[in-house]
């Protein structure tokens, strides 16, 4: 009985990344889950930066979704999204099937060695076929449930709101089977998923994997230290603390930490020392500016 009680205390919201080909309905799926309208605000309907949001299911369980970009130029950001997550959702449009970025996303999931769920979207369209998608992914080495494997498949229609409850239930089931856990009493471990700057100042978006992030505390990332002047939720609301599995924005860094870096509650310079390399180049210097660090990296990687 004591063992069961201790395990229950350590359960936390699973961190889920949503991956897949461009225009296969990733953001629309999250919109339907969060009851928001993010897609219509994005340039060209494509998510341009990594964001995270905490949703609550009908049975009062929480899930943190990382919305990773679908455009090819953001492959670096998408791979980092897979590495920080507990579970991946591989989105494939039922009317379009497996595409190059679907295969790329599947590669990242396998490299991250995390469980994943295949979600076939746009099932309200007459041309949509879940069986076709299933066959294509089997050809890519995916082993589904009922066929000797452990990968679930869920059919959804974000437009009609169908299959969403089944997807959330499946995510929680996979999280329980995988033993997703976190302890607010342990040392802090958070991951930077995006950085930005607005009228409040430089902001680092993080997801807490273990421990507790508190306003007013001092935290560290690589050689950087930060007094947390403010913590903000997905709707810019002020937070006093952030528990395991939850996302937040940190105000307080004077120099923003790199995306993918760890946030700790004590300095560990030896473990996270940076290797500095001198690079020689010829030609004209160029200044590149972007709205967020993730977008900047994507631009630089294509120059």
């Amino acid at each position: 009985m004591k063992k069961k009680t201790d395990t229950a205390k350590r359960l936390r919201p699973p961190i889920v990344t949503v991956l897949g080909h461009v225009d296969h309905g990733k953001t629309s799926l999250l919109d339907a889950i969060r009851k928001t309208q993010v897609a219509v605000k994005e340039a060209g309907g494509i998510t341009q930066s990594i964001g995270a949001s905490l949703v609550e299911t009908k049975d009062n369980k929480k899930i943190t979704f990382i919305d990773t970009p679908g455009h090819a130029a953001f492959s670096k950001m998408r791979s980092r999204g897979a590495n920080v997550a507990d579970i991946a959702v591989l989105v494939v449009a039922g009317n379009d099937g497996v595409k190059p970025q679907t295969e790329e996303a599947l590669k990242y999931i396998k490299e991250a060695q995390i469980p994943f769920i295949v979600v076939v979207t746009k099932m309200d369209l007459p041309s949509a076929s879940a069986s076709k998608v299933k066959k294509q992914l089997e050809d890519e080495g995916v082993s589904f449930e009922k066929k000797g494997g452990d990968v679930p498949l869920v059919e959804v229609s974000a437009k009609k709101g169908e299959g969403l409850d089944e997807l959330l239930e499946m995510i929680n089931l996979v999280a329980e089977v995988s033993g997703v856990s976190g302890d607010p009493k342990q040392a802090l471990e958070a991951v930077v998923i995006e950085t930005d700057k607005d009228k409040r100042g430089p902001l680092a978006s993080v997801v807490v994997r273990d421990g507790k992030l508190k306003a007013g505390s001092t935290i560290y990332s690589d050689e950087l230290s930060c007094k947390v002047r403010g913590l903000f939720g997905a709707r810019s609301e002020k937070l006093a603390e952030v528990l395991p599995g939850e996302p937040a924005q940190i105000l307080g860094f004077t120099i923003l930490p790199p995306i993918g870096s760890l946030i700790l509650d004590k300095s560990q310079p030896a473990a996270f020392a940076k290797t500095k390399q001198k690079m020689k180049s010829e030609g004209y210097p160029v200044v590149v500016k972007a709205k967020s660090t993730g977008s900047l990296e994507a631009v630089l990687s294509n120059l």
Side-chain angles (χ1 to χ4, degrees), residues 7 11 26 69 91 134 175 217 227 231-232 240 264 276:
T7 302
L11 295 179
K26 297 182 299 297
V91 171
K134 194 170 186 178
S217 62
K227 178 72 177 290
L231 287 174
F232 304 94
L264 307 169
K276 298 181 180 179

Side-chain angles (χ1 to χ4, degrees), residues 16-281:
V16 180
T17 185
V18 182
L19 306 173
H21 191 73
V22 62
D23 198 33
H24 272 203
K26 297 182 299 297
T27 304
S28 297
L29 174 64
L30 284 172
D31 286 347
I33 293 172
R34 297 177 303 198
K35 299 295 188 295
T36 60
Q37 292 296 318
V38 176
V40 296
K41 301 175 185 177
E42 298 288 355
I46 301 173
T47 306
Q48 296 296 315
S49 63
I50 290 181
S53 55
L54 186 67
V55 302
E56 192 167 326
T57 64
K58 290 182 179 179
D59 53 358
N60 299 318
K61 293 182 179 180
K62 293 179 179 179
I63 301 172
T64 293
F65 283 97
I66 300 175
D67 182 14
T68 48
H71 195 277
F74 297 86
S75 60
K76 264 192 177 181
M77 297 162 65
R78 186 165 55 245
S79 65
R80 283 173 176 170
N83 290 337
V84 72
D86 302 304
I87 301 169
V89 168
L90 179 61
V91 171
V92 188
N95 65 322
D96 209 11
V98 172
K99 294 293 181 182
Q101 286 178 353
T102 313
E103 297 171 356
E104 183 186 36
L106 185 58
K107 174 190 170 188
Y108 291 138
I109 293 169
K110 289 179 177 179
E111 287 176 352
Q113 296 183 332
I114 56 175
F116 68 101
I117 301 166
V118 172
V119 176
V120 184
T121 57
K122 305 186 181 184
M123 288 305 294
D124 53 287
L125 299 177
S127 58
S129 172
S131 58
K132 175 187 173 183
V133 170
K134 194 170 186 178
K135 176 63 171 63
Q136 290 176 330
L137 287 173
E138 285 175 340
D139 292 341
E140 295 294 328
V142 177
S143 298
F144 288 99
E145 290 179 335
K146 300 179 182 179
K147 285 195 173 184
D150 57 0
V151 179
L153 183 145
V154 181
E155 301 176 22
V156 304
S157 168
K159 187 176 181 180
K160 293 187 175 181
E162 296 173 352
L164 302 180
D165 290 339
E166 290 84 348
L167 173 58
L168 297 179
E169 288 174 8
M170 184 58 69
I171 289 172
N172 283 320
L173 178 61
V174 172
E176 288 179 19
V177 172
S178 303
V180 172
S181 62
D183 188 347
K185 295 181 181 179
Q186 294 298 316
L188 172 67
E189 181 187 310
V191 182
V192 179
I193 58 171
E194 180 58 291
T195 59
D196 203 349
K197 187 182 290 186
D198 63 14
K199 60 183 178 182
R200 293 171 291 180
L203 294 164
S205 297
V206 304
V207 176
V208 177
R209 290 190 60 88
D210 214 351
K212 183 190 296 183
L213 178 60
K214 295 186 291 185
S217 62
T218 300
I219 56 176
Y220 302 87
S221 177
D222 294 338
E223 300 103 348
L224 303 174
S225 64
C226 165
K227 178 72 177 290
V228 181
R229 291 166 45 208
L231 287 174
F232 304 94
R235 296 175 179 82
S236 298
E237 71 276 18
K238 284 189 176 181
L239 303 173
E241 62 181 22
V242 186
L243 298 176
E246 298 179 351
Q249 281 188 316
I250 299 172
L251 176 65
F253 281 102
T254 53
I255 300 174
L256 287 168
I259 293 174
S261 60
L262 285 177
I263 299 291
L264 307 169
D265 55 8
K266 59 182 179 179
S267 179
Q268 295 184 353
F272 298 98
K274 291 182 179 179
T275 301
K276 298 181 180 179
Q277 297 179 340
K278 292 184 179 180
M279 298 180 64
K280 295 182 179 180
S281 61

